[in-house]
Amino acid sequence: MATDYDTPRKTDEELNEESIEELKARRADAQSGQVDIDEAELAETLELPGADLSGEELTVRVVPKQADEFTCSRCFLVHHRSQLARGEGATAICSECI
């Protein structure tokens, strides 16, 4: 953020006065007659559009593990051979898990 050095500077006294005024305003807001709304109640009554997915079916094409891929024994994700850090077969570990 750029600073304009030509603008008049506020003294410490002016800054303290502003902060006292802000505190008074906050106190007045805190003592207002508004009742706090319980977020849990609000969330229960909130209904998202299209939220009922009970009748939906997912169609995903599953591809079997290829010859140049391995399953990491720590994160259980399938990675390309270029991600193999150490081990072989059931003890293979990817470079992200080291």
Side-chain angles (χ1 to χ4, degrees), residues 48-85:
L48 297 174
D52 183 19
L53 300 175
S54 59
E56 295 294 319
E57 288 186 26
L58 293 176
T59 306
V60 178
R61 194 180 114 211
V62 178
V63 179
K65 185 170 64 171
Q66 303 297 311
D68 62 344
E69 295 176 331
F70 71 97
T71 303
C72 178
S73 62
R74 289 192 182 167
C75 66
F76 303 105
L77 295 175
V78 177
H79 295 279
H80 187 264
R81 284 278 172 204
S82 62
Q83 295 289 322
L84 180 64

Side-chain angles (χ1 to χ4, degrees), residues 4-5 20 35 38 45 54 67 69 71 84 86 93:
D4 186 6
Y5 292 104
I20 290 172
V35 178
D38 187 16
T45 60
S54 59
E69 295 176 331
T71 303
L84 180 64
R86 64 176 166 194
I93 298 174

Side-chain angles (χ1 to χ4, degrees), residues 5-6 15 20 29-30 32 34 36 40 42-44 48 53 55 64 71-73 79 92 94-95:
Y5 292 104
D6 294 332
L15 291 174
I20 290 172
D29 289 342
S32 68
Q34 292 181 345
D36 291 337
L42 184 62
E44 288 174 1
L48 297 174
L53 300 175
T71 303
C72 178
S73 62
H79 295 279
C94 69
S95 58

